Amino acid sequence: MLFNASQQWEKCVKQIEERDRLIFVSVYVLIFVAGLILNLIALVVFFFHTKTRSHTTVYMTNLAFADLCLVCTLPVRICYHLGVSLHQRLCEAMGMILLINMYGSIFLLSCTSVDRCVAVCFPMSSRVREVRKKAPFICLGVWIMTVGASLPIYFIKPQLPGYQNQSKCFGSFPVYGTRPVAITSSLTVGFGVPLLAMLVSSWGLLRAIKRSQAAQTDLVDSRKIQRMIAMCLVIFLCCFLPYHLSLLLVYLHQRSIPCSLTSSYNYSLMVACLNAMLDPLAYYFTTETFRKKVDLDALRQMWPMQSQSQSADHHSRGPLNT
């Protein structure tokens, strides 16, 4: 049954390649060039032009590195869509690296969102400050989890007649899309939990900004912050939701896969890669809103009880390191 689905998938891929080759090549070239330039600039800024490395900067540095690794796999994908013959092992390695860094980006985006939220909502909590200091270890945990979850997909091969000997590169049937454990973990842990974390933290941050007295003044540009939060959520959903929906559909229709689903899967993967060049625009270059516009006195005004108890500390102003 699975072998028949694989054969049908390959026939559909050939039709898509003949019809949409130019689209795939053009978009992947755009993502590669823009993503490479923007993420290299971000890494240079974070390493050489940032005087104080905040906790959020740690997440964004790792995010830039993940996106950079992802775009570095795209030249092989571009060659594939141009019709260049590639070794199956190379294709599998590039696919694994893309998968690792895509889910690494998802988790790091959610970590960045949560970190900003707790920094704004609990500016005086010593416990929160101690947790935020563990940002490097949290990032290490993200990398260990994504690598550990992705490797089995490529090392556990399906035992199908003729499957091992065929070189299909990126046109191969996504066998992991038929495995209940892989689909469940991808949809829940890989996408659902990070999305929930981003939604909750964005709601908490917006609530804190709206309750702030400083938001009614020029001290905090609340509209700009709201636009940034909305833009980040929209980019996250537009990039990653289609891919995970297509994975679910592959699992549900694995007995008889229509060519429209094969096309949707390939296009959704391409859209997911767009995130690598959109992250710098959404996160890195709008972070100045938090670093320059929000200070500790403004944050104290968000919570009347804290502002009263800390009234003697107005002399210790400093920018929020998020």
Side-chain angles (χ1 to χ4, degrees):
M1 182 186 302
L2 186 57
F3 186 55
N4 293 333
S6 178
Q7 289 179 318
Q8 177 62 26
W9 184 276
E10 291 162 25
K11 291 179 182 178
C12 294
V13 167
K14 290 180 181 179
Q15 296 177 15
I16 297 169
E17 282 297 313
E18 294 174 358
R19 184 188 64 199
D20 300 335
R21 185 185 305 274
L22 182 61
I23 296 176
F24 284 109
V25 171
S26 301
V27 175
Y28 278 127
V29 167
L30 173 64
I31 298 172
F32 172 70
V33 174
L36 185 66
I37 294 173
L38 291 174
N39 285 289
L40 281 176
I41 291 174
L43 286 173
V44 170
V45 170
F46 291 150
F47 279 111
F48 300 107
H49 298 283
T50 302
K51 294 181 180 179
T52 57
R53 291 183 59 80
S54 68
H55 308 304
T56 306
T57 303
V58 175
Y59 293 116
M60 291 193 294
T61 303
N62 280 266
L63 178 59
F65 179 75
D67 289 337
L68 186 62
C69 290
L70 188 150
V71 299
C72 286
T73 68
L74 298 185
V76 176
R77 211 166 274 270
I78 293 168
C79 291
Y80 163 76
H81 287 292
L82 287 173
V84 178
S85 179
L86 300 168
H87 196 280
Q88 185 69 13
R89 293 287 185 183
L90 175 63
C91 297
E92 291 178 356
M94 293 299 102
M96 180 182 65
I97 294 172
L98 186 146
L99 192 67
I100 289 171
N101 289 281
M102 182 177 74
Y103 281 103
S105 295
I106 290 175
F107 284 111
L108 290 167
L109 287 170
S110 62
C111 288
T112 304
S113 181
V114 172
D115 183 76
R116 283 174 171 165
C117 178
V118 297
V120 170
C121 295
F122 308 101
M124 301 302 165
S125 172
S126 58
R127 183 175 298 178
V128 168
R129 285 198 295 270
E130 289 301 317
V131 172
R132 294 187 70 210
K133 290 179 181 178
K134 293 179 171 53
F137 300 101
I138 295 175
C139 291
L140 178 61
V142 167
W143 287 113
I144 292 174
M145 180 173 62
T146 53
V147 171
S150 301
L151 286 179
I153 294 175
Y154 289 88
F155 282 108
I156 302 176
K157 303 288 185 182
Q159 300 299 320
L160 298 175
Y163 186 91
Q164 299 283 354
N165 299 325
Q166 298 180 19
S167 178
K168 300 171 288 293
C169 197
F170 298 118
S172 302
F173 177 67
V175 181
Y176 62 88
T178 65
R179 298 172 180 169
V181 174
I183 287 294
T184 302
S185 60
S186 296
L187 294 178
T188 55
V189 180
F191 178 72
V193 173
L195 175 60
L196 180 62
M198 288 192 69
L199 290 172
V200 172
S201 58
S202 297
W203 172 81
L205 185 55
L206 288 172
R207 183 171 177 267
I209 295 297
K210 288 181 179 179
R211 292 179 59 181
S212 169
Q213 297 178 11
Q216 310 302 321
T217 68
D218 294 333
L219 183 61
V220 175
D221 190 345
S222 58
R223 289 186 179 180
K224 187 174 181 180
I225 295 174
Q226 291 171 9
R227 285 196 300 268
M228 190 204 71
I229 294 172
M231 179 175 64
C232 293
L233 285 174
V234 168
I235 291 175
F236 186 90
L237 286 171
C238 289
C239 289
F240 298 122
L241 181 60
Y243 174 75
H244 288 89
L245 285 178
S246 67
L247 270 183
L248 178 61
L249 291 175
V250 168
Y251 176 74
L252 295 176
H253 295 85
Q254 57 185 284
R255 294 185 177 182
S256 177
I257 298 178
C259 286
S260 58
L261 180 55
T262 305
S263 179
S264 299
Y265 174 84
N266 284 280
Y267 272 99
S268 67
L269 181 61
M270 182 179 66
V271 170
C273 292
L274 282 170
N275 186 75
M277 76 175 192
L278 295 176
D279 281 341
L281 302 177
Y283 285 84
Y284 310 143
F285 303 135
T286 56
T287 304
E288 293 301 316
T289 301
F290 286 83
R291 284 206 291 256
K292 292 184 177 180
K293 290 293 184 180
V294 183
D295 64 12
L296 290 179
D297 283 340
L299 295 174
R300 292 190 186 102
Q301 294 176 21
M302 295 180 185
W303 311 103
M305 294 300 294
Q306 288 185 351
S307 63
Q308 292 175 10
S309 62
Q310 300 293 335
S311 59
D313 297 332
H314 281 290
H315 63 279
S316 59
R317 290 193 177 187
L320 174 66
N321 289 326
T322 60

